[in-house]
Structures are given as structure tokens and as C-alpha cells.
Amino acid sequence: MSANWEPKIVAFFCNWCTYGAADLAGVSRMQYPPNIRVIRIPCSGRMSPKFILSAFRNGADGVWVSGCHPGDCHYLEGNYYARRKFSLFKNLIEYMGIEPGRLHFSWISSAEATKFVEVVTGVTDAVRALGPHEKFVKTNVKVA
Amino acid sequence: MSNYTDKIREISERLLKQGKVDMVIGFKKGTVPMMNEPCFVKKPEDISKLVWDSHCGINLANYLTDRKEKIGVIAKGCDSRNIVTHVIENKIKREQLFIIGVPCEGMIDRRKIASMFQTGSETEILSVAEQNGKIIVRTKDGEKTSERADLLQKNCALCVHRNPVIYDELVAEPVAEQKNIDRYADIREIEAMPPDQKWQYFDDLFSACIRCYACRNACPLCYCPTCFVDESRPQWVGKSTDPIDTKTFHFLRAYHCAGRCTDCGSCERVCPVGINMRVLTRKLEKDCFESFGWEAGLSLEQRPPLDVYKTNDPEDFIK
Ligand code: SF4
Ligand code: SF4
Ligand code: SF4
């Protein structure tokens, strides 16, 4: 790991809550680590396990998925369904050997810019502590 | 179990003659020992093809997907649970089916039979017979006998739902269910490993996988018109046997079976290289039970766990 290595974290934010929180943190000129690459999704219920795996396969060091608090979903219950899928997904990927601390989930409302800054800092620290992610990245790709 | 065969033939003949079903799906003898094949019987005169013994491990629910005709189907405990899953997923209507339930005492693992003989030697197994709880295997060099209970498929040794959960007629009295079974000892062992060791464990587990997809094809749950492995825009997983692609395949396939897998063991049974991919599906089974109190395929009334939620579902992993 080179001395100036910085983790790359793919962050999937739901349009209505966490994306708004990121926006609010930005317009409020709050400082937070610049390690996230944000992908906006309509709802945390839209998250597919394939998105998370694709991020890891394409070299993300960490993945973070964030949506509205339970009860606040713009589509009423998308995040409740998502929560069940996330819990099975996280358990399974860690069961296969991805370190706890690479994959994060949170609920952040569009008013919670402060929580947003806290969580992005925590996520970045956790991923940084683990170092570069190599497990799901193909290394021996040969072109015939 | 030969009395099962007689009863299965009797019921099937009656159903076909009375026109209650258009066909019966069961098993016929394969061309080599221990390899019974699924069999579709449409005429009463063909019912003598149907057999039942300890080599009927394939899950017949796999052949019901999107069928339109009236079908008599032979179902062990696990098949019946996959039929329930099919019905609640709208892959077949309950009214279309006449379920011939088979109380099951477990299926024989042909790999365990092969391992009764010196490894490496290509001893051809000529026949496998069964008598009073013993299995008699004949090769050109003679016979060997072993306890049936020691030769069960791994999933059958752990099975706690041997009797069909739904049926229209049973071929015999229900069998005693196995009690005090610890289904997850091996899963807990893997859970306790540090991440790198887990990763290595699965590297080793899948190293022989040739990506033939027999496991997927034999699984009644895997009925997607286009499987993610065949999608190309975007391509979620490469087609190679690169260990990362192989792991991605197995990870996603298992995940797609979350809350649906009945541990029927068809996937492992049909794998040409004998990979125990059930350590993934059983992890999900364990988590579904611990987190959502769910066991797949037990009731037509309950929606599957990823189709419902509770407001107080576990979320200690969410910040
Ligand atoms: S899993 Fe259970 S019901 Fe299915 S074949 Fe094995 S013992 Fe029989
Ligand atoms: S994943 Fe394997 S054990 Fe589970 S239902 Fe499918 S074939 Fe049966
Ligand atoms: S059946 Fe076996 S070899 Fe074929 S894809 Fe499945 S695990 Fe791999």
C-alpha cells in the first residue's frame, strides 16, 4: 500500500433522504472526507446486490448504502424491504470473507447533514483502516 | 421401498385412467446404477416405467415451472416444500397438481458408495440393492455391504422435514422425523473463521467448479428467463472459471435462493465435481430463520421473507 493511498468508496444514496443530506452538507460548507463517489438511486429499495458486488469487482475499497429512516421512505416501505435484503447480503458477503468494515449501511434523512458528515467520516476511517480491497478484484485477466 | 413403487404405479394409473391428470412426473431407472431419471408418464400403459428407490434425489418441482397441464407429481418432503414455494411464487397453481406424497427416509449419496471402494480405482458399480437398512453394492470383484444410514446424502442426514408438507395422497404412513439435528455445525465453523481464512475456504471449495451450471439447472428455484450469468449489458459476472467470477456466480445464485431454498440437495447431487455449494444456501437458511423466523416452503398461507417486512426487523448493522 503506497503511503498516499486513499480509499475509494462507492456510496449509493437514495434520492429523497441521504442524497439530500449530502447536498445540505455541501451547501452548508461542511467538511468531510472526499473519498466517496456518490451514485444516486431512487430508493434504498432499488438497491440490487449486483450493484454492491459490481462496485467491489471494479475495485471499490468500500461500499456504503444509505436511505431514509424506517417510516420515512418516500415510497412508504421501500427501505423496510431493503433492510431485510441488506441484512442477508451483509451476512453472506462477510461469511465469504469480505472484512466487516468494507460494507456499510445507514439511514440519514435530508435534514441530517451533521449525521451525514459523521457517518462518511466513520465509513472512510473504517475502510482506510482495512487498506485496499483486493478480494473481489480479478487480477489474472488475460486477453487471448 | 419397492412397496412405494407399487403404490406409486397404482395411484398414477388411477389418475391417468380417470383423466384427473394429463401426466405424472416421477422417476424411471437410469442407464447406470444410482442415476434415476425424471420421467413424464402420459399413458396408463407406461406406468410400469415408474420406480421408487433411494436414488430419487432430483427435485421434481423443477419440472413444474410454468406448466399448463394437470400434473400428478411425486413429492418427497423437500420436493413438496419446493412445490409450496412454486405455488406462492405463481409458477404453478395448486389446483393443477395432484401431489403424490412420499414419506422419505433419505436418499443415497452415490459418492459415498464410490468411496466404499479404493479411491483411484475405477471400479464400476454394477448394481446397488437395499435390504433391511443395508445397502449391497456389487462390482465385478464381488459385493460390499454398508449401513444405509451411513450412506445418506449430506442434506438428507440433516433433514427435518421428511414427510411431505402438502399432498393429495400419501404412498405410505408418515415416517418419523429426525429429532435433535444440528443443521448448522459446519456453518458456525465457517462463521468463526477470520476473513482471510473464509476467503481461502471458498477459494478451495469452488476451485474445481467448471461453471457448467448443472447446480442452477437442477434447482427448482432457478427459473429466471434470463439468469444473471447470461446478462451482458451490463455483464455482472464474467464467463470464465476465474476464481473471482466463480465466486461471484455462487454468491449471487445462493443469494437469489435466500428464503426459498429447502436444502433438497439437488444442486450438490448433480454437480459433476461434487462441490458442496450448500454451505452458502444453508448460511442464508440459518440467517432467515434467526432474523425472520422463516423456514421455506412450509405453508401456502405465508409470504416469503423478502416479500414482507416487520417494522422491528433486526437493524443493528445499520448506522
Ligand atoms: S432432503 Fe429430506 S425429504 Fe428430501 S430427499 Fe433428503 S431426506 Fe428426503
Ligand atoms: S439451492 Fe440447491 S438445495 Fe436449495 S432448493 Fe435449489 S437445488 Fe435445492
Ligand atoms: S454444478 Fe458444480 S461445476 Fe457445475 S457450475 Fe455448479 S458448482 Fe460449478
Side-chain angles (χ1 to χ4, degrees):
Chain A
M1 194 197 320
S2 72
N4 48 10
W5 173 79
E6 283 290 326
K8 278 198 281 293
I9 297 162
V10 178
F12 295 91
F13 293 161
C14 90
N15 180 46
W16 303 99
C17 292
T18 308
Y19 196 83
D23 203 29
L24 182 61
V27 296
S28 315
R29 299 288 183 269
M30 298 169 112
Q31 293 296 315
Y32 62 84
N35 300 68
I36 54 170
R37 312 288 190 272
V38 178
I39 297 174
R40 182 163 56 159
I41 52 176
C43 172
S44 50
R46 173 64 183 91
M47 261 320 276
S48 160
K50 294 167 185 161
F51 298 169
I52 303 177
L53 274 180
S54 280
F56 280 129
R57 284 172 56 91
N58 286 292
D61 299 304
V63 175
W64 172 26
V65 185
S66 188
C68 308
H69 286 275
D72 291 350
C73 177
H74 185 76
Y75 309 100
L76 304 178
E77 47 184 18
N79 54 359
Y80 282 124
Y81 289 111
R83 184 167 62 181
R84 286 198 160 196
K85 296 187 212 161
F86 295 164
S87 111
L88 295 178
F89 186 92
K90 185 166 191 290
N91 288 349
L92 190 63
I93 202 165
E94 289 175 2
Y95 177 77
M96 277 185 93
I98 292 293
E99 303 87 342
R102 290 224 184 265
L103 176 58
H104 298 263
F105 297 92
S106 63
W107 308 133
I108 303 177
S109 85
S110 57
E112 293 179 314
T114 319
K115 177 169 181 188
F116 175 80
V117 172
E118 268 167 41
V119 177
V120 67
T121 310
V123 167
T124 310
D125 288 350
V127 177
R128 191 191 306 279
L130 290 169
H133 159 76
E134 275 150 11
K135 289 193 172 127
F136 260 112
V137 182
K138 281 207 253 180
T139 47
N140 52 347
V141 181
K142 289 196 208 89
V143 179
Chain B
M1 280 204 191
S2 58
N3 51 333
Y4 280 24
T5 300
D6 295 339
K7 188 74 186 170
I8 284 170
R9 288 181 184 169
E10 177 205 313
I11 298 171
S12 304
E13 185 171 27
R14 168 162 37 90
L15 292 174
L16 285 166
K17 278 196 174 145
Q18 293 176 349
K20 282 208 174 136
V21 300
D22 303 317
M23 66 171 163
V24 174
I25 304 182
F27 284 95
K28 66 176 178 198
K29 276 263 174 268
T31 45
V32 288
M34 302 186 284
M35 290 291 215
N36 289 350
E37 298 167 12
C39 167
F40 297 59
V41 177
K42 295 182 177 159
K43 290 184 266 173
E45 54 271 30
D46 290 337
I47 51 124
S48 59
K49 281 190 195 160
L50 292 172
V51 294
W52 192 268
D53 57 23
S54 296
H55 313 291
C56 299
I58 293 295
N59 191 326
L60 294 181
N62 196 27
Y63 300 91
L64 300 178
T65 313
D66 293 330
R67 285 273 176 186
K68 300 290 174 250
E69 52 282 69
K70 289 199 148 208
I71 300 173
V73 58
I74 295 162
K76 313 179 282 292
C78 49
D79 306 50
S80 78
R81 293 171 66 200
N82 278 98
I83 292 172
V84 168
T85 305
H86 254 44
V87 172
I88 61 182
E89 293 178 2
N90 296 324
K91 289 285 115 190
I92 190 91
K93 291 199 183 67
R94 176 69 183 91
E95 306 78 72
Q96 275 171 274
L97 298 177
F98 189 99
I99 302 169
I100 305 168
V102 177
C104 176
E105 291 186 300
M107 292 293 144
I108 296 297
D109 185 338
R110 68 175 190 284
R111 294 191 179 90
K112 287 192 184 162
I113 300 252
S115 69
M116 286 164 65
F117 301 89
Q118 223 181 341
T119 43
S121 75
E122 292 296 308
T123 320
E124 191 191 345
I125 288 161
L126 298 175
S127 75
V128 177
E130 197 170 334
Q131 219 166 39
N132 308 326
K134 299 227 187 302
I135 300 286
I136 306 127
V137 185
R138 199 166 56 80
T139 68
K140 67 176 184 344
D141 306 322
E143 277 185 7
K144 275 199 185 180
T145 304
S146 183
E147 290 297 325
R148 184 177 191 281
D150 298 336
L151 295 171
L152 291 183
Q153 288 185 184
K154 291 198 224 56
N155 65 309
C156 297
L158 297 176
C159 177
V160 290
H161 297 288
R162 290 177 149 186
N163 292 300
V165 295
I166 47 168
Y167 54 84
D168 295 291
E169 192 166 339
L170 282 182
V171 302
E173 288 299 310
V175 293
E177 295 288 359
Q178 306 193 98
K179 290 272 177 318
N180 303 321
I181 299 286
D182 178 5
R183 285 187 58 74
Y184 304 118
D186 52 339
I187 307 293
R188 284 194 304 270
E189 265 172 45
I190 302 173
E191 284 170 344
M193 294 176 188
D196 288 349
Q197 197 186 337
K198 290 176 174 161
W199 190 256
Q200 187 61 49
Y201 175 89
F202 286 102
D203 260 348
D204 297 343
L205 181 71
F206 294 130
S207 62
C209 175
I210 54 172
R211 296 286 295 279
C212 67
Y213 301 143
C215 48
R216 174 197 68 176
N217 292 3
C219 175
L221 306 172
C222 283
Y223 54 64
C224 293
T226 307
C227 175
F228 70 92
V229 298
D230 297 321
E231 286 175 337
S232 53
R233 286 188 181 186
Q235 191 184 42
W236 302 107
V237 52
K239 300 207 178 271
S240 69
T241 49
D242 180 289
I244 305 293
D245 284 335
T246 303
K247 268 190 191 164
T248 307
F249 160 61
H250 281 286
F251 178 93
L252 276 175
R253 194 189 89 79
Y255 188 75
H256 286 177
C257 300
R260 309 164 66 218
C261 172
T262 61
D263 202 33
C264 73
S266 276
C267 45
E268 184 176 1
R269 181 184 175 94
V270 300
C271 176
V273 289
I275 291 175
N276 176 10
M277 67 295 279
R278 291 171 37 257
V279 292
L280 289 179
T281 44
R282 275 164 55 247
K283 163 68 176 159
L284 286 156
E285 178 190 300
K286 174 173 179 280
D287 286 353
C288 279
F289 186 72
E290 287 172 1
S291 301
F292 315 126
W294 171 262
E295 274 186 281
L298 294 187
S299 149
L300 288 168
E301 313 305 322
Q302 265 181 302
R303 294 305 302 164
L306 296 184
D307 198 31
V308 290
Y309 62 83
K310 288 208 181 91
T311 50
N312 62 350
D313 279 332
E315 64 162 14
D316 45 2
F317 65 99
I318 302 178
K319 287 184 236 311

